[in-house]
Amino acid sequence: MFKPLLVNSAYYINTSKKYAKIKHFFYNLLENSNYKYKRVFDLFMIVLIFSSVVILIREVKSPINDGLLFFNNYVISIIFFIEYMLRFWISSSITEVIIKQSEHDLMLGDEFKAAKALKKIALIKLKYVFSVKAIIDLLAIIPFFHQLKLFILFRVFKLFRYAKSIQTFASIIATKKFEFFTLFTFASIVIFVSSVLVYVMEANNPASAVNTFFEAIYWSIVTISTVGYGDITPITQEGRIVSMFVIIAGIAVFSFTTSLIVTGFTEKLDEIKDKKLLDDIANMKKFYLICGYEDISKEISKKLIQSNKVIILEENHEKASQAKKDGFFVLNYDPGSIESYQKLKINIQEQVKAILCLSHSDVENVYTALTIRSFNKDVFILSILKNKINKNKLLFAGVNELFYEKELIGMIAKGFIGQPVAFELIHALRSSYNGVDMQEIVVSERILDSFTIVGNLKYKKYKILLLGIYKKSQKEFCFNPPDTTTLELGDYLLIIGNIQFIKEFSNFLHKKSDV
């Protein structure tokens, strides 16, 4: 009876949208640094921590009214207790453990092993309970159960949860834990040996301030830290010799500590900058995402950035560094890896205008498109095509629009470089409004019989836009040509507008020649 009830309850809770929504909300509030309300929550908790410490300091020499004592010992403690229980809840999913164990046993044809599932749950939860942050959270609650004032000070350590700068510093220290452990071992040996030597040399001297071994240890720590209070000083010649060695060791320890911290910051500098950039990207409303940094990426980014925000993903470290030097927002991520987009923590559907795959390789662009389509089916993807045989591969990968360098459209794309509205037009063109299209009209002899310059075309009458002309004789694309531009046999007119209007305009050009 118990086992089926346990499994059914787990499935019911795990499939409940309301339960998932509530848990997701509290997870974002407590753990998701990109959640808009987390900053407010963190600030609220920081105010409570400092309020508690201020009350404790004031209580030392001044009487505190019962209202403040109640607020400090009970109200703040209850808030911290609720926070602790919520973190305990969201740290792992009990229902998923039960369901996985149930399905595993069912697949093997065994009876559901409830005891094994409960054991796994206990281990997972205990792992959280005995984590450093959870222990600090628990100690901060103790004043609610016991009027021990010193435990209130543990609330200060909760700042590690809410202050990003402190978390960054702690992570830097963690990367150098072996070096710091070596330094701590060296300092401990120096302190112990010097304490023993000073105690042996000074303790039997009536004029010496060192009377106990504890005082010797205190003197050694104060000396090696280069603080030197002067309340305890050796008076024997031997003791002073020991002092000189301890002072030299203290300088070495201090220098080594400083170099470790500086080195740690230097090594983490790029990571810190990337993290700050990720936070900035998460707060962006609309931007273009360019995958790959080549010459064409640089030129397109220069123009897009004038009126849009652009983010570049480039796997190659040298190219990414060059993109940073060129003044762009760039992340040294692999565009073909799903982990890159998970790190971005963005809503592609709402935040990204379009994704431009501009890598030097069709294969890389295919992988990028496939990766994006694996988690988003709707975002607009534009890709450059290097080799015509790969056209179908890119289209099958989910690319919406291709630019083939060796044909007209590739030449037009090069002509777009330097034109600030080009990609905005293309993006609008391939949007959900299917009534708009882009077509090329070849200037034939029939057209030349009646139209010799652009001004004669009267395209504005048909409510269409002449984006440009590809001049066959000059092998270049002329963007937004003036009315005096001469038409030549074999030129291509690039037209944008309503499909029906383009058709009527094309008919006009060819019928006119019959007049």
Side-chain angles (χ1 to χ4, degrees):
M1 182 66 181
F2 169 71
K3 292 180 179 180
L5 180 64
L6 186 64
V7 175
N8 290 334
S9 299
Y11 274 109
Y12 175 79
I13 293 172
N14 207 50
T15 55
S16 171
K17 292 183 178 179
K18 187 176 180 180
Y19 174 85
K21 186 177 180 180
I22 294 171
K23 190 169 185 178
H24 186 66
F25 168 77
F26 283 112
Y27 175 82
N28 285 333
L29 188 66
L30 297 172
E31 299 293 345
N32 186 1
S33 59
N34 295 320
Y35 188 56
K36 58 183 178 179
Y37 296 120
K38 178 169 170 53
R39 186 173 296 178
V40 177
F41 173 78
D42 290 350
L43 183 61
F44 172 71
M45 297 301 287
I46 289 171
V47 170
L48 288 182
I49 292 168
F50 280 112
S51 299
S52 182
V53 174
V54 168
I55 293 171
L56 175 65
I57 294 171
R58 183 176 174 81
E59 192 180 359
V60 174
K61 288 192 174 184
S62 304
I64 300 294
N65 63 58
D66 293 339
L68 280 177
L69 285 175
F70 179 81
F71 175 76
N72 192 33
N73 295 333
Y74 293 99
V75 176
I76 294 179
S77 295
I78 288 172
I79 293 172
F80 287 166
F81 177 73
I82 293 171
E83 182 207 17
Y84 178 81
M85 295 307 297
L86 287 172
R87 290 188 185 277
F88 181 81
W89 173 42
I90 67 171
S91 63
S92 58
S93 175
I94 294 175
T95 56
E96 286 184 5
V97 175
I98 295 171
I99 291 170
K100 284 181 180 179
Q101 185 64 45
S102 173
E103 291 177 349
H104 178 266
D105 294 338
L106 183 64
M107 183 178 65
L108 297 177
D110 296 336
E111 187 180 355
F112 172 56
K113 298 174 183 176
K116 189 174 181 180
L118 293 175
K119 183 180 178 182
K120 288 181 179 178
I121 291 169
L123 290 173
I124 293 170
K125 292 299 183 183
L126 284 172
K127 184 179 179 181
Y128 170 76
V129 168
F130 287 105
S131 65
V132 176
K133 289 183 178 180
I135 291 172
I136 292 172
D137 289 341
L138 187 62
L139 291 173
I141 300 168
I142 288 180
F144 177 75
F145 302 99
H146 193 286
Q147 299 300 317
L148 196 59
K149 295 177 182 178
L150 287 178
F151 278 105
I152 294 177
L153 291 176
F154 280 100
R155 293 176 177 177
V156 177
F157 292 104
K158 285 174 69 64
L159 289 173
F160 280 96
R161 280 197 180 276
Y162 312 116
K164 286 186 178 181
S165 56
I166 297 177
Q167 292 176 5
T168 301
F169 183 76
S171 66
I172 289 170
I173 298 298
T175 60
K176 298 291 181 181
K177 56 186 176 182
F178 175 76
E179 290 85 347
F180 277 109
F181 177 75
T182 304
L183 181 63
F184 175 77
T185 303
F186 170 74
S188 299
I189 293 172
V190 172
I191 290 170
F192 178 74
V193 172
S194 61
S195 299
V196 171
L197 290 174
V198 165
Y199 180 71
V200 170
M201 296 170 184
E202 298 282 330
N204 292 325
N205 191 322
S208 176
V210 180
N211 296 313
T212 63
F213 187 63
F214 175 78
E215 290 175 336
I217 294 175
Y218 168 76
W219 166 84
S220 183
I221 293 174
V222 170
T223 304
I224 199 172
S225 64
T226 68
V227 175
Y229 291 125
D231 53 342
I232 298 177
T233 56
I235 61 173
T236 64
Q237 185 176 357
E238 294 83 359
R240 289 173 177 173
I241 292 172
V242 173
S243 295
M244 288 189 288
F245 282 107
V246 175
I247 291 169
I248 293 171
I251 295 171
V253 169
F254 181 78
S255 302
F256 190 29
T257 303
T258 304
S259 66
L260 283 179
I261 295 173
V262 171
T263 303
F265 267 107
T266 303
E267 292 175 354
K268 281 268 189 176
L269 191 59
D270 288 339
E271 185 179 329
I272 294 170
K273 288 181 178 179
D274 284 349
K275 191 173 181 181
K276 176 65 170 62
L277 180 58
L278 287 174
D279 291 339
D280 293 340
I281 292 172
N283 294 323
M284 288 182 182
K285 291 184 178 179
K286 288 289 184 180
F287 59 88
Y288 284 96
L289 189 63
I290 295 180
C291 301
Y293 191 70
E294 308 294 336
D295 290 338
I296 191 170
S297 310
K298 179 179 178 180
E299 297 303 326
I300 290 171
S301 299
K302 280 182 180 179
K303 295 306 173 183
L304 285 178
I305 207 169
Q306 292 178 5
S307 56
N308 301 276
K309 293 177 181 177
V310 177
I311 306 298
I312 298 172
L313 300 185
E314 174 53 61
E315 183 180 13
N316 185 282
H317 181 72
E318 292 181 0
K319 291 181 179 180
S321 298
Q322 184 58 49
K324 288 179 181 178
K325 291 179 182 178
D326 293 336
F328 301 117
F329 284 111
V330 61
L331 291 167
N332 192 193
Y333 290 172
D334 178 9
S337 171
I338 196 168
E339 293 179 1
S340 301
Y341 303 95
Q342 291 172 344
K343 290 178 183 177
L344 283 175
K345 297 179 181 179
I346 58 172
N347 187 327
I348 287 186
Q349 191 63 36
E350 295 182 1
Q351 292 179 263
V352 178
K353 285 185 175 182
I355 297 176
L356 281 59
C357 300
L358 303 177
S359 176
H360 67 283
S361 166
D362 286 337
V363 175
E364 290 185 15
N365 290 330
V366 167
Y367 275 115
T368 299
L370 286 172
T371 300
I372 295 166
R373 288 297 180 225
S374 68
F375 58 85
N376 190 290
K377 306 296 182 185
D378 301 320
V379 66
F380 177 82
I381 302 177
L382 178 146
S383 177
I384 195 166
L385 179 63
K386 296 289 184 178
N387 194 323
K388 198 171 183 179
I389 62 173
N390 295 319
K391 180 179 179 180
N392 289 335
K393 294 176 184 177
L394 281 161
L395 293 175
F396 289 148
V399 173
N400 299 93
E401 184 68 35
L402 291 173
F403 284 141
Y404 183 40
E405 286 185 324
K406 297 180 181 179
E407 287 185 349
L408 169 65
I409 198 66
M411 297 173 187
I412 294 172
K414 291 178 181 177
F416 283 160
I417 296 173
Q419 310 304 329
V421 298
F423 271 93
E424 292 288 356
L425 285 171
I426 293 172
H427 180 57
L429 176 64
R430 302 303 179 183
S431 65
S432 57
Y433 179 54
N434 295 323
V436 176
D437 198 5
M438 176 171 64
Q439 293 184 13
E440 305 100 43
I441 297 176
V442 181
V443 177
S444 63
E445 291 182 355
R446 289 170 60 86
I447 293 175
L448 281 177
D449 288 340
S450 302
F451 306 100
T452 56
I453 60 173
V454 170
N456 299 143
L457 295 176
K458 300 179 182 180
Y459 57 88
K460 293 179 181 179
K461 176 182 175 182
Y462 292 86
K463 298 179 182 179
I464 60 174
L465 175 66
L466 177 61
L467 188 62
I469 299 177
Y470 173 64
K471 303 294 292 181
K472 185 178 179 181
S473 61
Q474 300 172 16
K475 294 184 179 180
E476 65 178 24
F477 184 80
C478 178
F479 182 85
N480 194 20
D483 289 342
T484 56
T485 303
T486 303
L487 298 177
E488 297 176 306
L489 184 65
D491 288 352
Y492 284 83
L493 307 176
L494 185 63
I495 305 297
I496 289 179
N498 181 276
I499 297 173
Q500 185 60 37
F501 291 162
I502 292 176
K503 185 177 180 180
E504 290 176 4
F505 176 68
S506 178
N507 291 338
F508 162 73
L509 294 181
H510 290 88
K511 284 181 180 178
K512 193 73 175 176
S513 62
D514 294 329
V515 178

